[in-house]
Amino acid sequence: MHAMGLVAQNFSRAARRTLPFLVRRRARLVPDAVAISDAFSYSETAPDLSFEVRLEDDDSPAWGRLTLDAGTLGLLLDGALGGDSADVAALSGDLTLAQSALVGRIARSLAEDLCSAVKDAVGLQMKIVASHTLRAGEPFDAPETDGLSVNCLFDGVGEGCSIRIAVSAEVLEAAVREQHAEEEPTAGDPRMGEAVLDVPVEVVAVLGTLTLGLRQVLTLHVGQVLRLPVAVDDAVWVRVAGLTKFEAAPVVSRGQIGVRVSGRHEE
């Protein structure tokens, strides 16, 4: 889900550059929430006129879809031809040859943006394999595997228009796992040294040790003094992770008992 969210964000930024009329109108694309996309999420037939671009990856079963709905088609044609209307009617019927050529060029440019967004997010090298117009009532060719999809909505123009992007979920998840595995620091990797520096280590200051018999332990009572076999000015041993590493002297610092390291313990 997170990876698809990154894909949608990258795509929305790139698409704003691909569609200069958005900049001119101070509009933008805003990704909606990520949703599960499966064969059942596709209607049996296209409800309205739309345009679809299909993506695939040579090295994996990854698939991608970019779909422009009827409202978006009207908005893109109007913007590409220099129009500045905030409200553009959705297209219906069939596209003319000129409209089809212009829509195809814009849609493929947007699909290239989607390919770049997927590559930047998870490293998959996808490419365009087909693009075509879907007429109202025409059957959908739904993907065979589940995917993740996002509707990228137009903010500032074309109310209700959206560009739907979808990528196969299983391959997307596998690419994320592989990417994270490659990023894990290994022995000899400088990042491993940095990571080790944050590992918590127990440090103990030992004032002295005493050996008592079990009978003495069982007779200990409140107020009894246990005399340690060390003098007041004797060194205190500082142990790091159970090993004696430093010599120190007891001190009082800001009202708390502490030790001042005076030297390194030599084995």
Side-chain angles (χ1 to χ4, degrees), residues 140-180:
F140 268 115
D141 182 13
E144 295 181 356
T145 59
D146 290 349
L148 297 173
S149 65
V150 176
N151 286 325
C152 298
L153 310 175
F154 288 87
D155 180 31
V157 295
E159 184 176 354
C161 301
S162 69
I163 300 175
R164 186 177 190 244
I165 58 175
V167 180
S168 50
E170 184 178 352
V171 177
L172 193 64
E173 183 180 353
V176 171
R177 286 199 303 267
E178 183 178 347
Q179 191 178 54
H180 286 177

Side-chain angles (χ1 to χ4, degrees), residues 21-22 25-30 75 84-87 153-160:
F21 74 89
L22 292 181
R25 300 187 193 182
R26 297 182 180 179
R28 59 177 181 158
L29 275 178
V30 179
L75 181 63
D84 57 3
S85 175
D87 257 340
L153 310 175
F154 288 87
D155 180 31
V157 295
E159 184 176 354

Side-chain angles (χ1 to χ4, degrees), residues 120-131:
D120 292 343
V122 296
L124 281 176
Q125 296 272 6
M126 303 189 78
K127 65 179 183 180
I128 299 170
V129 294
S131 61

Side-chain angles (χ1 to χ4, degrees), residues 12 18 28 61 63 68 105 124 157-158 181 206:
S12 295
T18 299
R28 59 177 181 158
W63 58 263
L68 310 176
R105 182 175 61 80
L124 281 176
V157 295
V206 183

Side-chain angles (χ1 to χ4, degrees), residues 205-207 236 238 248-261:
V206 183
L207 293 175
V236 173
V238 177
V251 297
V252 176
S253 175
R254 297 180 182 178
Q256 291 181 299
I257 297 175
V259 293
R260 178 183 292 113
V261 176

